[in-house]
């Protein structure tokens, strides 16, 4: 019995084990691999998703589609609300969340020289905390602040401002742009630097991975779809069927926290055999 069946690990169906073997075989040759990660990987750290049956927005209603325009119209109101609500229940859940085995395995795939860039839709900082380096947080990071004019970003714990002079303004050169949370709002353009990096890296990809993402939100969803159109192998890791599933070269129908560590373990075994 392989060691990964011990310690109460879930027993996987044979087709899932086959898919893990196929993914490891494809990745162990070290193709330039780019991944898109979605809410599914954060969900395994106890962070509720926005969409789906138990989604926060499904239960509580979606934020207004013109959320960003409302911010532009009245940034002072947003800042006042933030000062009151910054420790709401969702923020506390995020504060208490820790990276899971999926996050760690992705960081290991990076160290192995396989995963060259990770585009994440998650704002929760867990990829950074897992040690990931080449990372685009396409929807921002909740623990950073950003100037809406020049796009400069600063960790929240290094950010200081005068609460009597709201909204805070950018101090870089003569920018003077309004500062907001780095998290991208509804209706807000994706920051140019994040978009450019995602496009450049996706174009370089020889293999693309889609992990825990329903691939419904653009522009993030465009990257795996482009890979499909360009006949690049797509590995999907998701316990749920998505719109990518029928086009994926390899579908690992399992949670990322289960599948990714097994893929990494198998890559290491294959590399030992080759060496
Ligand atoms: Zn600025």
């Amino acid at each position: 019995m392989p060691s990964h069946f011990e310690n109460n690990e879930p027993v996987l169906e044979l087709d899932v084990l086959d898919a893990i073997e196929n993914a490891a075989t494809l990745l162990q040759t070290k193709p330039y691999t780019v991944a898109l990660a979605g809410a599914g990987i954060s969900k395994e750290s106890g962070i509720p998703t926005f969409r789906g049956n138990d989604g926060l927005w499904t239960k509580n209603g979606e934020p207004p589609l013109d959320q960003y325009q409302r911010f532009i119209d009245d940034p002072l109101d947003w800042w006042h609300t933030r000062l009151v609500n910054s420790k709401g229940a969702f923020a506390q859940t995020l504060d208490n969340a820790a990276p899971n085995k999926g996050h760690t395995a992705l960081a290991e795939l990076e160290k192995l020289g396989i995963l060259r860039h990770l585009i994440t839709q998650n704002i929760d900082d867990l990829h950074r905390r897992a040690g990931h380096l080449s990372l685009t947080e396409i929807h921002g990071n909740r623990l950073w602040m950003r100037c809406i004019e020049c796009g400069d970003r600063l960790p929240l714990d290094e950010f200081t401002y005068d609460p009597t002079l709201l909204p805070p303004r950018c101090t870089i050169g003569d920018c003077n742009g309004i500062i907001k949370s780095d998290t991208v709002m509804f209706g807000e353009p994706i920051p140019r630097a994040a978009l450019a990096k995602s496009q450049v890296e996706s174009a370089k990809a020889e293999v693309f991975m889609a992990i825990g993402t329903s691939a419904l939100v653009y522009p993030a969803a465009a990257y795996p779809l482009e890979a499909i159109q360009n006949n690049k192998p797509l590995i999907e890791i998701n316990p749920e069927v998505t719109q990518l599933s029928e086009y994926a070269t390899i579908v690992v129908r399992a949670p990322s926290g289960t599948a990714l560590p097994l893929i990494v373990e198998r890559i290491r075994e294959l590399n030992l055999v080759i060496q």
Side-chain angles (χ1 to χ4, degrees):
M1 215 47 155
S3 61
H4 52 256
F5 284 124
E6 294 168 5
N7 304 323
N8 298 322
E9 289 289 333
V11 176
L12 296 171
E13 302 284 341
L14 273 180
D15 56 349
V16 176
L17 290 174
D18 280 347
I20 286 169
E21 180 70 21
N22 291 340
T25 303
L26 177 59
L27 293 173
Q28 60 90 20
T29 59
K30 299 198 175 176
Y32 197 106
T33 302
V34 175
L36 172 68
I41 189 164
S42 295
K43 188 180 175 185
E44 294 172 44
S45 285
I47 296 172
T49 56
F50 294 109
R51 296 183 171 80
N53 289 341
D54 294 325
L56 287 176
W57 293 340
T58 311
K59 287 194 281 193
N60 305 328
E62 292 200 7
L65 291 174
D66 62 349
Q67 192 183 23
Y68 184 63
Q69 189 57 49
R70 292 185 192 204
F71 170 79
I72 295 298
D73 291 344
D74 193 354
L76 199 56
D77 180 62
W78 183 87
W79 270 96
H80 283 150
T81 307
R82 176 188 171 83
L83 291 175
V84 175
N85 285 345
S86 65
K87 283 297 160 203
F90 185 50
Q92 284 176 22
T93 302
L94 291 169
D95 284 345
N96 293 333
N100 61 55
K101 288 180 185 174
H103 294 105
T104 307
L106 282 177
E108 284 178 35
L109 272 182
E110 180 178 58
K111 286 195 193 88
L112 288 169
I114 298 166
L115 181 55
R116 304 292 287 273
H117 195 70
L118 174 62
I119 303 163
T120 185
Q121 297 170 280
N122 302 326
I123 59 160
D124 49 38
D125 202 47
L126 296 184
H127 291 294
R128 278 175 199 269
R129 285 174 56 192
H132 220 98
L133 298 176
S134 185
L135 178 69
T136 296
E137 295 157 313
I138 196 163
H139 295 157
N141 182 320
R142 62 182 287 265
L143 299 182
W144 289 60
M145 303 302 285
R146 174 166 44 84
C147 166
I148 64 168
E149 295 298 332
C150 71
D152 188 59
R153 301 166 81 223
L154 193 68
L156 187 57
D157 56 13
E158 293 174 24
F159 173 70
T160 54
Y161 65 98
D162 181 349
T164 64
L165 282 175
L166 294 176
R169 298 268 177 176
C170 181
T171 54
I172 293 179
D174 56 359
C175 177
N176 203 38
I178 296 170
I179 306 290
K180 68 179 280 295
S181 166
D182 186 41
T183 307
V184 174
M185 294 174 172
F186 264 133
E188 179 179 357
I190 302 288
R192 285 189 297 270
L195 210 51
K197 183 72 175 167
S198 300
Q199 284 165 346
V200 166
E201 290 293 336
S202 294
K204 281 198 263 183
E206 294 169 327
V207 170
F208 203 95
M209 298 175 79
I211 303 159
T213 175
S214 51
L216 292 173
V217 181
Y218 283 83
Y223 305 125
L225 293 173
E226 277 168 20
I228 293 164
Q229 282 163 0
N230 291 315
N231 294 317
K232 295 174 180 177
L234 173 70
I235 301 171
E236 178 178 63
I237 299 175
N238 203 317
E240 313 287 339
V241 177
T242 75
Q243 63 161 352
L244 298 174
S245 299
E246 66 178 296
Y247 306 107
T249 318
I250 298 167
V251 176
V252 184
R253 192 64 74 218
S256 47
T258 305
L260 284 167
L262 292 177
I263 290 172
V264 169
E265 181 185 319
R266 188 64 186 132
I267 288 170
R268 290 192 197 281
E269 287 171 3
L270 291 168
N271 279 328
L272 282 177
V273 172
I274 289 165
Q275 286 160 6

